[in-house]
């Protein structure tokens, strides 16, 4: 008896392209292992035999194969309309079974993975009748009725691991294989395919040019439904954090997108989509596998293609916090197999692309776009029709009134006095509802970056959610070599147009005992967070309570460095620090529970993280503050959300704390022409 095979079912209505998909997928899998292929059409007992065929298939084919034994079964003679010859199907490393009912409830206990294939109804009928010639037409309706009756009581599509819209253009097998790579049940089986993906050559090309970033992004990705611009719009940042900008979408054969909600991760690769149960950081640990990757000479950016997007605050459920559901996905990422990197310091553009049948065409297009966006006196992006540019500014409402927020500050102070926390980072939210199409997210972001440039600004267009951030704060960086850095911000003062007054405000912040205490408490928290995965003795504070100035605020910033332990999980190291301590308070876990009670609402994207997870194991993530989230509800309209907050300590003054959140909101609201809501 042979070892039990991995059994994968390819199911779908008649004419959805299951047979072709199975044959092509089998050819790809045979490169590294043995594969048996079973077609259910060989066993159905006639045109009225769907239910009976499923029973036969489960009992006589799947049951023995699951034990590692040869399956002996009776075929159907479609010409004589009676049982045909006896046949066998031998176990192999992989058994692919395809046909209507391949993943039926009777078969489910024997299967390791289920692929559901879809195609539009008219396309399916044309395909099926063309395939079977004159045999099928008299029975199409009869067979379709059986399919509908079966699916009415057995919702196979809902429990499929992978669903694919098969356009019969040759793309489906590769897309399905990409999706299958994420399934934990197939991790061992598909290890060779993972390794092959990791060994893909990286094409890197440098162009000496300084294109306008906004024009370049719009030219390359203006039509992409999922695209990311990690925008170092403050290129004069003295710490060098504004040197690189990253522009990418999920196009090309390697492109993928991921959404995570409450313990369920959905991955899309072209027309194929996979669903995985389990925690986000567990998925990230498997998907973000560092590989040896030699960066091109002269390339100093830490991103060498990989995943980009955001992690929402509610992922705290996996790191010691309670389970709260948000309106937006808890995480949204794209995988970029090609990207454009701007080196603002050297006036250079890097084009990066993994080997891809379409790579040469994309490189030509990207070069042309860089050239066009580099033309002098062309540094603006024209408004699009229907952008809402002449509409009235959005009117925001506050989740908490001034009195209500001050009462929560008092309650936070009580929790501190009781010894339940040292520092509580209390937040609230401002929201505005606008009609569908009333706000152009792209024009909105351009206004934000003009008003408030920042080293960690970003524009994320991820389906129905757009994130427009002007964050000044780094959450966590891990380099490919294992260097770790966190740079928390605690302590804020508004800017003044009067130079003397502005200098006085900066000096006041630098000397303020309360702000220094806030900052030092978070530094201690992050030293502890980093130490869980750091080489012992490597954690150090290289900068403590320094003041940095931005367009609308002065901020107090510290820097904590460490070195990642060799062999440690990088995803788990990120999880150990998440969410950012500057957005929770200390101690983290007990304070998050206090915040859940005080805030009584999810934070969503706000106070999570935005950035990348590179193929070489590097990551750089910003804290999602000064961040406008634009959630398109379709015909119902669009919701704008802006989170704001501040750290509460034992000596906090409620009036001053409330004024601080108004100061923090000013940069975003003023760019929209909006004001902080009264009351």
């Amino acid at each position: 008896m042979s070892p039990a095979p991995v059994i994968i079912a390819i199911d779908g209505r008649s004419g959805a392209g299951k047979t072709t998909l199975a044959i092509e997928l089998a050819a790809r899998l045979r490169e590294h292992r043995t594969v048996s292929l079973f077609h259910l059409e060989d066993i159905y007992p006639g045109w009225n035999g769907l239910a009976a065929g499923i029973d036969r298939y489960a009992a006589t084919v799947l049951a023995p194969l699951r034990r590692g034994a040869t399956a002996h079964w009776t075929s159907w003679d479609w010409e004589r309309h009676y049982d045909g010859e006896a046949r066998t199907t031998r176990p192999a490393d992989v058994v692919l079974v395809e046909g209507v009912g391949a993943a039926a409830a009777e078969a489910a206990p024997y299967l390791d993975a289920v692929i559901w294939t879809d195609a539009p109804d008219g396309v399916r009928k044309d395909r099926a009748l063309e395939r079977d010639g004159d045999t099928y037409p008299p029975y199409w309706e009869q067979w379709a009725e059986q399919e509908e009756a079966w699916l009415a009581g057995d919702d196979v599509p809902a429990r499929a691991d992978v669903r694919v819209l098969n356009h019969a253009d040759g793309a489906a097998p590769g897309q399905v294989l990409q999706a299958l790579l994420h399934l934990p049940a197939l991790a061992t089986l598909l290890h060779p395919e993972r390794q092959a993906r990791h060994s893909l050559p990286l094409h890197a090309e440098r162009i000496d040019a300084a294109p306008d970033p906004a024009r370049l992004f719009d030219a390359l990705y203006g039509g992409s439904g999922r695209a990311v611009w990690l925008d170092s719009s403050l290129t004069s940042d003295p710490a060098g954090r504004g040197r690189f900008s990253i522009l990418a979408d999920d196009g090309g054969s390697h492109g993928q997108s991921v959404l995570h909600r409450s313990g369920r991760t959905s991955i899309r690769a072209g027309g194929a989509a996979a669903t995985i149960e389990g925690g986000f950081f567990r998925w990230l640990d498997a998907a973000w596998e560092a590989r040896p990757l030699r960066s091109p000479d002269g390339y100093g950016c830490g991103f060498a293609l990989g995943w980009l997007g955001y992690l929402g605050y509610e992922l705290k459920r996996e790191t010691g916090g309670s389970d709260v559901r948000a309106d937006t996905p808890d995480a949204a990422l794209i995988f970029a197999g090609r990207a454009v990197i701007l080196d603002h310091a050297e006036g250079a553009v890097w084009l990066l692309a993994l080997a891809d049948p379409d790579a040469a065409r994309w490189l030509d297009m990207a070069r042309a776009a860089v050239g066009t966006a580099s033309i002098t006196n062309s540094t603006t992006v024209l408004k699009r029709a229907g952008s809402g540019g002449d509409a009235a500014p959005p009117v925001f409402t506050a989740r908490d009134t001034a009195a209500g927020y001050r009462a929560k500050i008092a309650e936070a102070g009580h929790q501190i006095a009781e010894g339940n926390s040292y520092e509580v980072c209390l937040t609230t939210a401002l929201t505005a509802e606008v009609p569908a199409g009333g706000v152009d997210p792209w024009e909105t972001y351009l206004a934000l970056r003009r008003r408030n440039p920042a080293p960690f600004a970003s524009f994320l267009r991820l389906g129905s959610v757009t994130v427009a951030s002007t964050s000044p704060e780094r959450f966590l960086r891990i380099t490919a070599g294992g260097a770790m850095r966190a740079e928390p911000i605690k302590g804020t003062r508004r800017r003044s147009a009067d130079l003397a007054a502005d200098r006085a405000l900066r000096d006041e912040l630098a000397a303020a005992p309360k702000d220094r205490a806030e900052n030092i408490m978070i530094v201690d928290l992050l030293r502890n967070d980093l130490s869980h995965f750091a080489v012992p003795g490597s954690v150090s504070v290289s900068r403590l309570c320094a003041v940095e100035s931005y367009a609308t605020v002065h901020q107090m910033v510290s820097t904590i460095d460490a070195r990642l332990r060799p062999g440690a999980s990088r995803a788990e190291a990120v999880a150990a620090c998440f969410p950012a301590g500057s957005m929770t308070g200390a101690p983290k876990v007990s304070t998050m529970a206090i915040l859940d009670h005080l805030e009584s609402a999810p934070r969503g994207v706000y106070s999570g993280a935005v950035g990348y997870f590179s193929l070489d194991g590097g990551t750089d993530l910003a804290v999602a503050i000064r961040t406008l989230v634009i959630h398109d509800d379709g015909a119902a309209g669009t919701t704008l959300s802006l989170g704001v907050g501040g750290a509460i300590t034992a000596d906090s003054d409620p009036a001053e704390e409330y004024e601080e959140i108004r100061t923090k909101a000013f940069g975003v609201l003023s760019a929209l022409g909006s004001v902080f809501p009264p009351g």
Side-chain angles (χ1 to χ4, degrees):
M1 190 170 291
S2 303
V6 171
I7 305 178
I8 302 173
I10 302 177
D11 207 336
R13 293 177 176 86
S14 187
K18 301 179 297 299
T19 303
T20 301
L21 175 60
I23 292 170
E24 294 181 358
L25 190 58
R28 296 183 183 224
L29 294 175
R30 284 190 177 110
E31 185 175 348
H32 300 289
R33 60 193 64 78
T34 60
V35 178
S36 286
L37 187 55
F38 178 81
H39 303 285
L40 265 72
E41 66 180 32
D42 293 334
I43 203 171
Y44 300 129
W47 291 109
N48 198 36
L50 176 57
I54 290 172
D55 289 338
R56 281 191 180 195
Y57 146 72
T60 65
V61 178
L62 290 183
L65 288 175
R66 181 79 282 173
R67 301 191 303 269
T70 297
H72 299 271
W73 50 279
T74 302
S75 66
W76 181 255
D77 188 326
W78 289 92
E79 292 185 0
R80 296 174 54 242
H81 300 283
Y82 200 72
D83 284 343
E85 61 186 28
R87 295 187 185 177
T88 61
T89 299
R90 297 183 181 279
D93 296 328
V94 181
V95 176
L96 290 178
V97 292
E98 71 82 16
V100 181
E106 296 88 335
Y110 306 109
L111 303 175
D112 295 285
V114 171
I115 301 166
W116 178 264
T117 308
D118 268 325
D121 289 347
V123 172
R124 289 193 301 102
K125 184 173 183 179
D126 290 344
R127 284 183 192 167
L129 299 185
E130 181 180 351
R131 177 194 65 203
D132 292 342
D134 296 333
T135 307
Y136 202 174
Y139 302 101
W140 171 262
E141 296 298 335
Q142 179 182 351
W143 188 261
E145 288 174 3
Q146 292 177 80
E147 291 179 353
E148 293 304 319
W150 160 57
L151 289 171
D154 188 1
D155 194 356
V156 174
R159 64 171 186 270
D161 300 292
V162 174
R163 296 187 63 166
V164 59
L165 185 60
N166 191 349
H167 294 289
D169 57 1
Q175 294 168 352
V176 167
L177 190 55
Q178 286 240 64
L180 291 174
L181 289 173
H182 292 275
L183 301 184
L186 303 185
T188 301
L189 172 75
L190 297 180
H191 181 71
E193 281 75 13
R194 284 179 176 271
Q195 293 302 108
R197 186 176 63 172
H198 289 175
S199 63
L200 286 170
L202 173 65
H203 175 92
E205 177 180 331
R206 175 186 164 119
I207 303 171
D208 289 324
D212 177 72
R215 293 187 68 238
L216 181 58
F217 184 86
D218 197 47
L220 288 169
Y221 307 121
S224 298
R226 288 176 292 273
V228 169
W229 177 13
L230 301 185
D231 173 24
S232 295
S233 57
L234 187 64
T235 57
S236 60
D237 174 44
R241 294 165 299 191
R243 178 177 173 183
F244 296 101
S245 292
I246 301 168
L247 297 71
D249 72 355
D250 62 345
S253 63
H254 301 296
Q256 299 171 68
S257 62
V258 167
L259 295 177
H260 181 91
R261 291 180 183 269
S262 300
R264 172 174 287 189
T265 303
S266 301
I267 305 104
R268 180 167 292 279
T275 302
I276 301 168
E277 302 291 339
F280 171 80
F281 288 106
R282 176 184 173 187
W283 169 83
L284 182 63
D285 189 43
W288 177 36
E289 297 176 297
R291 68 175 192 171
L293 194 67
R294 183 180 179 276
S295 294
D297 293 340
Y299 181 68
C301 182
F303 179 69
L305 302 179
W307 299 95
L308 309 103
Y310 76 78
L311 315 184
Y313 177 76
E314 272 63 52
L315 287 177
K316 68 184 175 65
R317 71 170 64 86
E318 300 180 26
T319 62
S322 60
D323 186 1
V324 178
R325 296 183 68 91
D327 294 333
T328 52
D330 297 325
L333 302 171
I334 63 170
F335 183 86
R338 54 204 194 187
V340 177
I341 316 298
L342 306 183
D343 185 337
H344 302 294
E346 296 194 358
V349 178
W350 288 88
L351 308 181
L352 303 184
L354 292 175
D356 179 312
D358 194 38
R361 186 200 64 82
W362 179 82
L363 289 165
D364 289 341
M365 180 190 69
R367 283 189 213 100
V370 169
T372 301
S374 301
I375 298 173
T376 57
N377 300 321
S378 299
T379 58
T380 59
V381 177
L382 297 177
K383 287 182 178 292
R384 302 191 187 96
S387 66
D390 298 327
V395 177
F396 283 83
T397 59
R399 189 171 70 207
D400 298 293
T401 63
Y405 192 73
R406 292 184 186 117
K408 290 181 178 182
I409 292 171
E411 175 59 23
H414 173 71
Q415 293 291 338
I416 292 169
E418 291 294 307
N420 298 323
S421 179
Y422 302 111
E423 180 177 358
V424 178
C425 296
L426 181 66
T427 77
T428 187
L430 312 178
T431 58
E433 303 291 336
V434 298
V439 168
D440 184 326
W442 174 241
E443 296 295 343
T444 298
Y445 176 66
L446 294 182
L448 289 178
R449 77 188 294 267
R450 285 192 297 267
R451 183 70 181 86
N452 191 30
F456 297 106
S458 57
F459 177 74
L460 317 179
R461 187 192 299 125
L462 300 166
S464 63
V465 176
T466 299
V467 178
S469 177
T470 56
S471 174
E473 182 176 357
R474 171 177 275 145
F475 162 47
L476 178 66
R477 183 185 72 184
I478 305 175
T479 68
M484 306 170 74
R485 171 167 287 186
E487 295 184 274
I489 290 176
K490 270 285 160 263
T492 304
R493 293 292 185 278
R494 64 177 175 83
R495 297 294 304 268
S496 172
D498 180 80
L499 290 178
D502 191 60
R503 188 179 303 111
L505 287 165
R506 180 186 173 99
D507 292 344
E508 175 194 320
L509 175 60
K514 173 185 176 294
D515 294 287
R516 291 182 66 86
E518 288 180 16
N519 198 292
I520 289 169
M521 279 190 277
I522 297 305
V523 167
D524 283 342
L525 171 61
L526 285 172
R527 288 173 64 223
N528 179 69
D529 286 349
L530 289 172
S531 71
H532 292 302
F533 286 85
V535 173
S538 69
V539 181
S540 65
V541 179
S542 56
R543 187 172 60 147
L544 184 65
C545 297
V547 175
E548 296 180 349
S549 298
Y550 296 91
T552 59
V553 293
H554 300 294
Q555 306 252 228
M556 184 176 284
V557 187
S558 294
T559 302
I560 307 100
D561 291 307
R563 179 152 293 279
L564 185 69
R565 283 200 317 268
S569 164
R570 291 170 181 249
E572 290 302 325
V574 174
C577 298
F578 190 88
S582 61
M583 298 306 299
T584 61
K588 184 182 285 188
V589 173
S590 60
T591 304
M592 285 193 293
I594 293 169
L595 290 167
D596 285 342
H597 169 70
L598 290 176
E599 296 177 359
S600 303
R603 294 185 182 180
V605 179
Y606 170 61
S607 71
V610 174
Y612 66 75
F613 303 95
S614 174
L615 288 175
D616 63 4
T619 181
D620 205 353
L621 300 165
V623 182
I625 56 175
R626 318 293 192 271
T627 296
L628 183 71
V629 178
I630 304 170
H631 188 197
D632 186 359
D633 297 324
T638 301
T639 301
L640 311 182
S641 176
L642 173 65
V644 287
I648 312 304
T649 60
D651 56 353
S652 286
D653 177 87
E656 291 180 358
E657 295 293 347
Y658 185 69
E659 186 59 32
E660 182 173 326
I661 68 169
R662 292 173 60 91
T663 297
K664 290 176 176 177
F666 175 74
V668 174
L669 293 178
S670 61
L672 297 170
S674 302
V675 297
F676 198 95

